[in-house]
Amino acid sequence: MGEFADKLAAKPLFYQRAYLGSLLPNYIKSGNLEKYYQTLTDFNFLMAKIQHPEFGVQALIDDFNLVEDSEAVTHSDYNPEKAKSLDLIQAVMWMSADILERDKTQLAGQLLGRLLYFEIPEIQAMPEVAKHWKAAPWLRPLTPCLTPPRRGLLRTLEGHSNSVNAVAVTADGKQAISSSFDKTIKVWDLRTGKEEFTLKGHSDSVNAVAVTADGKRAISGSSDNTIKVWDLTTGHEEFTLTGHRDSVKAVAVTPDGKLAISGSWDKTIKVWDLITRDELFTLEGHSNWVNAVAVTEDGQRAISGSWDKTIKVWDLTTRKEEFTLKGHSDWVNAVAVTEDGKRAISGSLDKTIKVWDLTTGKEEFTLKGHSDSVKGFAVTSDGKRGISGSSDNTIKVWDLTTRKEEFTLKGHSYLVNAVAVAADSKQAISGSSDNSIKIWDLTTGKEEFTLKGHRDSVKAVVFTADGKRAIYGAWDKTLKVWDLTTRKELFTLEGHSNWVNEVAVTGDGNRAVSGSFDKTIKVWDLTTGKEEFTLKGHSDSVNSVAVTEDGKRGVSGSSDKTIKVWDLTTRNELFTLKGHSESVNAVAVTEDGKRGISGSSDKSIKVWDLTIGKELFILKGHSNSVNAVAVTPDGKRAISGSSDKTIKVWDLSSGKVIANFTCESPIACCAVAADGVTIVAGDQSGRVYFLRLEGMEELT
């Protein structure tokens, strides 16, 4: 870990505690800010602090605040530029805190993945030290591949077992409350990122949540047709409000915490007294489901948005509709109101945001820019900016004064379905849902060129052994063979009756083997461009295929939960491997052809003896579907990619995980180079990761 860490590790635990706990505060007290800056950019100090059982990630995050929380900012040695560098490092710790709490060995990978974007001396020095960290095996990003700090994301909160439908934040900014399709509400500490407790009681999806101004109560609306009121101090349910005849899709609470307003698919809005626990009255007028409600700061008006394409403004004193705002051409999904109560903002399935004058009841202007439904909208307390979330995978920030978009926060929009590495380890190839194939330089991680030709998503890619040709399979039911020197398409292989999920090529480059959603495997002659024969036997989609190095056997994995081994000479099925309890998504074969590796939606990886057709052992560790597997050329290690967003490297002799890397989105595909340590993976957001397995010498 370095001289610093080695010396510290040799000391008693109480000494380590005293040293790590007092070092930085002492630098601040003595005005030695240069030492303070140096220490917080020392990778070895960061690692020592998070690994100590009495400190950890949050204690380290707090260390970065010491200078700002003291009089040191007025000291002559205070350096704003170095302070900015510390802010970036602290932001990385925030963003990666949930990952590092589970696996401290990912510190180097997370720092590199997020800080390689920056050309700041203090920032560049840290990754250089991190690169040489050898205390344990780890996966080193070769290129910047994770969201950098200052790009919106601070921390990921994970815990729900299904989609999150709504989030509210307490007025003091210390807690977040989330509601989910998993029927629960979770309360989170936003400082530490830890779950404080889970609120259980609803019998169906929790669609909406609101919190009172004092932060003491949460109100939730559910598809079980009820509203529940929760005590956020004790974590217990206070009472349930019943009266709606259909799902409750929206809830709001007046600033004084006395009234709750709910919107339902029964087309009504109900107003509830949170003191007497009674329904006060029902507001009727919408001709379709009510999706959204908001309440003005003075508590006198409610605004509702509906699938009837309208927004209605209600007087809560007279219990009457004031007026209806019309202009959207499709469902209204979201409404918000400015703090002064003068404007309402609505988001719609028609892809637009409209700003309305609540004094005149007229539309002021329309904001356009999203390419899909606007699902949510929030407005800043000064009423000058709005934030919209859309099904186009973006968040847009708008200036409500100039009526212009300020900027967009977005992830990649296209899923990377397949990756492969050339035999010489110099190039990688990726196929995407944007219908294209990209060729990458593995030494630099840079894109070399893009090939287009398919009419639909590219699902499978492979190089021939000589690296001169590539074969791609797509949702358009075809495979295409390309010359990578001329960058020209050579020919198209047609015959599958549904999309092509996977393709493999024999070692001599003469044959390709493809698996399809049509439940078949086809073998193609790459010299003539003709189909040789079709293998049938699976009862569901063939998701993955592999071929032994000698080209004599093929292996296929299917949604029918089985793996089949085929003799490509006799064209017969040799045997079927059973054991997975869900779809088999990926298969790989060791270079000697003796073992097969399969990954499944049942979260497991199985290792099989292909000579006798028996399961050898199972690899467990992923918390979600295993979508991709690869095996190193020496057959000693397997690589897996999962919907749990991790890439894992496994030792096939011990069955243990050697190294982990946590990505931004579910992993769809992975491949390993001939050197056995360079890994390429693609995720569902469109990112391609180039990683190198480091620290293996420590195990030898």
Side-chain angles (χ1 to χ4, degrees):
M1 195 190 292
E3 187 179 350
F4 166 85
D6 291 340
K7 287 181 178 178
L8 189 61
K11 300 289 184 181
L13 202 60
F14 73 86
Y15 176 89
Q16 295 178 35
R17 181 179 65 249
Y19 180 81
L20 292 169
S22 63
L23 183 64
L24 294 172
N26 285 341
Y27 285 151
I28 293 294
K29 288 176 184 176
S30 64
N32 195 343
L33 297 189
E34 187 59 34
K35 277 287 188 182
Y36 173 79
Y37 295 137
Q38 287 177 7
T39 304
L40 281 177
T41 53
D42 181 349
F43 172 79
N44 293 318
F45 175 83
L46 303 187
M47 179 58 84
K49 186 96 182 208
I50 70 168
Q51 286 188 322
H52 194 282
E54 293 190 33
F55 294 112
V57 180
Q58 188 57 47
L60 179 60
I61 289 172
D62 292 342
D63 283 343
F64 287 87
N65 296 328
L66 290 174
V67 70
E68 302 298 334
D69 293 343
S70 69
E71 295 179 0
V73 291
T74 62
H75 197 280
S76 59
D77 285 346
Y78 179 77
N79 187 321
E81 290 305 310
K82 290 186 177 181
K84 287 179 183 177
S85 297
L86 295 191
D87 286 346
L88 290 174
I89 298 166
Q90 183 189 38
V92 171
M93 302 306 297
W94 264 102
M95 296 167 77
S96 305
D98 57 315
I99 297 165
L100 298 176
E101 291 287 359
R102 297 191 299 267
D103 184 0
K104 306 292 193 297
T105 65
Q106 290 199 51
L107 176 62
Q110 291 293 311
L111 286 169
L112 284 165
R114 300 187 195 278
L115 293 179
L116 284 174
Y117 297 94
F118 300 96
E119 295 182 1
I120 301 171
E122 292 83 5
I123 296 295
Q124 287 294 318
M126 178 176 287
E128 282 303 313
V129 175
K131 279 182 187 178
H132 305 293
W133 186 64
K134 303 292 183 184
W138 62 289
L139 289 167
R140 173 167 69 90
L142 302 178
T143 60
C145 57
L146 300 172
T147 301
R150 294 186 177 168
R151 287 281 181 89
L153 176 67
L154 280 179
R155 177 172 278 179
T156 301
L157 306 175
E158 295 183 337
H160 283 294
S161 60
N162 212 318
S163 59
V164 177
N165 296 322
V167 179
V169 178
T170 54
D172 60 11
K174 293 181 179 179
Q175 289 177 308
I177 299 95
S178 58
S179 66
S180 168
F181 200 80
D182 67 9
K183 309 176 189 177
T184 72
I185 299 110
K186 289 184 182 288
V187 181
W188 309 86
D189 184 320
L190 287 180
R191 189 184 73 89
T192 65
K194 298 284 181 66
E195 179 187 325
E196 293 189 349
F197 44 83
T198 298
L199 306 174
K200 296 181 180 180
H202 283 295
S203 60
D204 208 332
S205 171
V206 186
N207 304 315
V209 65
V211 64
T212 55
D214 61 10
K216 294 180 179 179
R217 277 175 157 182
I219 296 93
S220 58
S222 168
S223 291
D224 65 12
N225 305 354
T226 71
I227 298 107
K228 287 184 182 289
V229 180
W230 309 85
D231 186 320
L232 294 182
T233 308
T234 65
H236 293 135
E237 178 186 332
E238 289 191 28
F239 53 91
T240 299
L241 303 170
T242 59
H244 281 296
R245 302 184 308 278
D246 208 332
S247 295
V248 179
K249 298 297 288 185
V251 292
V253 61
T254 53
D256 61 9
K258 294 179 179 179
L259 301 180
I261 297 100
S262 57
S264 168
W265 277 8
D266 65 11
K267 308 177 189 176
T268 71
I269 299 104
K270 289 183 181 290
V271 181
W272 311 84
D273 187 317
L274 295 181
I275 299 172
T276 65
R277 307 183 181 185
D278 294 324
E279 178 186 326
L280 294 179
F281 52 91
T282 299
L283 302 171
E284 297 182 272
H286 282 295
S287 60
N288 210 323
W289 299 340
V290 178
N291 288 330
V293 293
V295 64
T296 55
E297 186 69 19
D298 60 12
Q300 293 181 10
R301 278 172 153 183
I303 295 95
S304 58
S306 168
W307 273 33
D308 64 12
K309 308 177 190 176
T310 72
I311 301 103
K312 289 183 181 289
V313 181
W314 310 85
D315 187 318
L316 297 181
T317 307
T318 65
R319 307 181 181 186
K320 302 286 186 184
E321 177 186 328
E322 289 192 22
F323 47 85
T324 298
L325 305 172
K326 295 181 179 180
H328 283 296
S329 59
D330 216 323
W331 306 332
V332 178
N333 297 319
V335 293
V337 63
T338 55
E339 198 165 284
D340 61 11
K342 293 180 179 179
R343 278 175 162 179
I345 300 102
S346 56
S348 168
L349 189 65
D350 66 12
K351 309 175 190 176
T352 71
I353 298 130
K354 290 185 180 289
V355 180
W356 310 85
D357 186 320
L358 292 182
T359 307
T360 64
K362 302 290 186 183
E363 177 185 329
E364 289 191 25
F365 54 90
T366 298
L367 301 171
K368 295 181 180 180
H370 283 297
S371 60
D372 208 333
S373 173
V374 179
K375 303 291 286 185
F377 196 89
V379 64
T380 56
S381 58
D382 60 11
K384 293 180 179 179
R385 293 165 114 193
I387 301 96
S388 57
S390 167
S391 295
D392 65 10
N393 300 333
T394 71
I395 297 162
K396 290 183 182 289
V397 180
W398 308 86
D399 186 317
L400 298 180
T401 305
T402 64
R403 307 181 181 186
K404 295 192 182 297
E405 178 187 327
E406 288 191 10
F407 52 88
T408 299
L409 305 171
K410 61 182 176 181
H412 295 279
S413 55
Y414 294 111
L415 163 66
V416 177
N417 296 311
V419 291
V421 177
D424 63 6
S425 299
K426 292 181 179 179
Q427 287 181 314
I429 192 169
S430 61
S432 167
S433 292
D434 65 4
N435 308 354
S436 73
I437 300 99
K438 292 183 182 293
I439 310 296
W440 307 83
D441 184 322
L442 261 189
T443 57
T444 65
K446 300 288 179 65
E447 179 187 328
E448 290 189 4
F449 55 91
T450 298
L451 301 173
K452 294 185 177 180
H454 280 293
R455 301 184 305 275
D456 212 331
S457 298
V458 177
K459 289 285 289 179
V461 295
V462 69
F463 282 102
T464 53
D466 59 11
K468 294 180 179 179
R469 289 178 295 170
I471 300 101
Y472 317 128
W475 277 14
D476 63 11
K477 309 175 190 177
T478 70
L479 296 99
K480 290 184 181 289
V481 182
W482 294 77
D483 185 315
L484 295 180
T485 306
T486 64
R487 304 182 187 181
K488 301 286 187 184
E489 180 185 326
L490 296 176
F491 48 84
T492 299
L493 305 173
E494 297 182 277
H496 282 296
S497 61
N498 214 316
W499 60 65
V500 179
N501 290 324
E502 184 67 285
V503 62
V505 67
T506 54
D508 59 13
N510 291 332
R511 277 174 157 182
V513 181
S514 58
S516 168
F517 197 78
D518 66 11
K519 309 176 190 177
T520 71
I521 300 106
K522 288 184 181 288
V523 180
W524 311 84
D525 187 318
L526 295 180
T527 308
T528 64
K530 303 289 185 183
E531 179 186 328
E532 288 191 24
F533 55 90
T534 299
L535 301 170
K536 296 181 180 180
H538 284 295
S539 60
D540 208 333
S541 170
V542 179
N543 300 322
S544 184
V545 293
V547 64
T548 55
E549 184 70 16
D550 60 13
K552 293 181 179 179
R553 287 183 296 166
V555 181
S556 56
S558 168
S559 292
D560 66 11
K561 309 176 189 176
T562 71
I563 299 107
K564 289 183 181 289
V565 181
W566 310 84
D567 188 315
L568 299 182
T569 306
T570 65
R571 308 181 182 186
N572 292 323
E573 179 187 325
L574 294 177
F575 45 83
T576 298
L577 305 172
K578 297 181 180 180
H580 284 296
S581 59
E582 291 189 42
S583 172
V584 179
N585 301 320
V587 293
V589 179
T590 55
E591 203 162 274
D592 61 11
K594 293 180 179 179
R595 289 196 289 181
I597 295 98
S598 58
S600 167
S601 294
D602 66 12
K603 309 176 189 177
S604 75
I605 297 140
K606 289 182 181 285
V607 181
W608 310 84
D609 187 322
L610 297 183
T611 60
I612 59 175
K614 299 289 185 183
E615 179 184 326
L616 293 175
F617 52 90
I618 188 169
L619 305 173
K620 291 185 177 180
H622 283 295
S623 60
N624 210 323
S625 172
V626 180
N627 303 320
V629 293
V631 63
T632 54
D634 61 10
K636 293 181 178 179
R637 294 186 291 273
I639 296 92
S640 58
S642 167
S643 290
D644 65 12
K645 305 179 186 177
T646 68
I647 297 162
K648 292 182 183 290
V649 181
W650 305 82
D651 184 322
L652 291 180
S653 59
S654 68
K656 300 287 180 63
V657 174
I658 299 171
N660 296 285
F661 187 81
T662 302
C663 303
E664 301 275 86
S665 295
I667 302 302
C669 49
C670 68
V672 62
D675 61 13
V677 293
T678 303
I679 295 164
V680 183
D683 76 13
Q684 289 184 9
S685 74
R687 280 182 172 84
V688 179
Y689 300 85
F690 301 93
L691 307 169
R692 183 178 178 83
L693 181 62
E694 300 284 6
M696 288 304 297
E697 58 268 31
E698 299 298 313
L699 299 183
T700 58

